[in-house]
Amino acid sequence: MSGRLKGRVALVTGAGNGVGKACALALAAEGASVVVNDLGTSEFAQGESASAADATAREIRSAGGQAEPSYDSVASSAGVANAVNIAEQAFGPVDIVVGCAGAILPGDLHASDESYHRFIDLFLSQKFWLARATVPGMAERGWGRFIAATSEGARGTVGNPIFAAAMGGVVSLVKGIANDYRGAGVTANCLAPGATTRLSQVMVPHLEQAYQEGKITREVFEGAKAGPGPVTHVPPIVTWLCTDAAADVTGRVFNARGGKVSVWSDYEEVRAIYRGDAQTSPPWSLEELDQFVPAHLLS
């Protein structure tokens, strides 16, 4: 490896398995000191174990890198704060954050208040707490990389409205961070990974049911059933975004899947209808909208 991240300190959540683990290993291979965070739950967020984080940290050390485990739940602000503290005590201020922790949780409109908040805390609030604890310090030092996992689910294509809301919220959160810290040496980007992991495989029966119920398309289901591709295809773009070569890349969403790297479109206005002067023209009538919305905005 080229050692492009030598001297940098990275915190990777969900690093005991799957995409998070692959990213932690890749960052360490480029010279970063890595805090490997993983609560050690099952795919369905049940139980706790130190074994997952320990195994990844041990693998990094065996390859000659530096790593410390964190067993904190990043679904709480206190857990995030403690994971950051572990990094600071072991290696120094955090330069790189890759927020990947997740699990399979119920997210349909029958979810209880408790389930809703648990979902949002794990998938969305985690990224806010990570950013709050690290990004201002990155800006003070003039260098930092913040990467937060989102998903195809942000587009609503896999059903699960709470998941869609959380993943869409991650995109908007990251865009806001990118805008606030533009020019401060800090970049913020999203990763929408596609990889065959324990979570993706466990989800296949659930997606099949969703397909049978007409909640997702055949394309989405068949893609999940076939498997997105090896997890090793994801870390290169994450690692590259953490290098100096990506100093001007911020506020974007990258997808890595089966050897393909793509970037999502930005939010933008795509069509408009106008009627005279904005200050003096009357509002649109419903009859006018009957005509112009289908013909000019939705065509």
Side-chain angles (χ1 to χ4, degrees):
M1 294 293 182
S2 60
R4 291 201 200 185
L5 301 178
K6 186 176 181 180
R8 300 299 184 187
V9 176
L11 167 59
V12 183
T13 71
N17 292 281
V19 171
K21 178 177 182 178
C23 290
L25 294 175
L27 295 175
E30 287 296 333
S33 300
V34 182
V35 168
V36 176
N37 166 263
D38 202 292
L39 184 60
T41 68
S42 72
E43 296 92 331
F44 296 95
Q46 297 172 343
E48 296 180 18
S49 171
S51 60
D54 283 345
T56 302
R58 187 164 53 247
E59 190 170 342
I60 290 172
R61 291 170 183 156
S62 296
Q66 296 190 85
E68 285 290 330
S70 156
Y71 317 117
D72 298 284
S73 169
V74 289
S76 73
S77 60
V80 167
N82 197 57
V84 172
N85 183 61
I86 288 172
E88 292 174 344
Q89 293 299 314
F91 304 122
V94 175
D95 302 301
I96 296 167
V97 170
V98 181
C100 286
I104 299 172
L105 297 170
D108 61 25
L109 294 185
H110 299 288
S112 65
D113 287 358
E114 180 182 3
S115 294
Y116 169 81
H117 288 293
R118 187 183 185 202
F119 208 123
I120 294 298
D121 282 349
L122 177 57
F123 284 96
L124 176 57
S125 301
Q126 171 199 167
K127 280 82 170 196
F128 168 74
W129 292 324
L130 285 167
R132 183 177 65 181
T134 61
V135 170
M138 294 176 185
E140 290 177 4
R141 297 187 300 276
W143 197 97
R145 301 291 185 265
F146 186 85
I147 299 173
T150 185
S151 166
E152 167 70 21
R155 302 197 301 164
T157 54
V158 299
N160 201 319
I162 302 175
F163 183 58
M167 294 293 91
V170 170
V171 174
S172 294
L173 173 70
V174 166
K175 286 182 178 293
I177 294 169
N179 185 63
D180 281 356
Y181 288 89
R182 197 178 300 274
V186 178
T187 65
N189 291 285
C190 282
L191 167 71
T196 304
T197 65
R198 63 173 190 156
L199 291 183
S200 70
Q201 293 305 100
V202 168
M203 278 299 297
V204 170
H206 300 271
L207 292 175
E208 182 174 15
Q209 181 178 350
Y211 167 64
Q212 296 296 337
E213 294 173 354
K215 295 178 180 178
I216 64 173
T217 66
R218 173 182 287 275
E219 180 183 9
V220 170
F221 168 61
E222 293 293 346
K225 185 178 179 181
V231 73
T232 51
H233 287 166
V234 177
I237 185 61
V238 174
T239 306
W240 183 82
L241 287 169
C242 293
T243 69
D244 289 335
D248 296 325
V249 181
T250 193
R252 309 304 299 270
V253 181
F254 288 87
N255 173 262
R257 177 189 179 96
K260 178 187 76 172
V261 177
S262 61
V263 64
W264 288 9
S265 62
D266 290 323
Y267 301 153
E268 59 185 7
E269 184 177 87
V270 293
R271 296 183 184 89
I273 53 177
Y274 300 93
R275 57 173 310 158
D277 181 79
Q279 301 300 321
T280 60
S281 296
W284 292 93
S285 69
L286 295 182
E287 289 73 22
E288 289 171 325
L289 294 177
D290 285 340
Q291 174 185 354
F292 287 106
V293 171
H296 297 287
L297 291 185
L298 303 180
S299 60

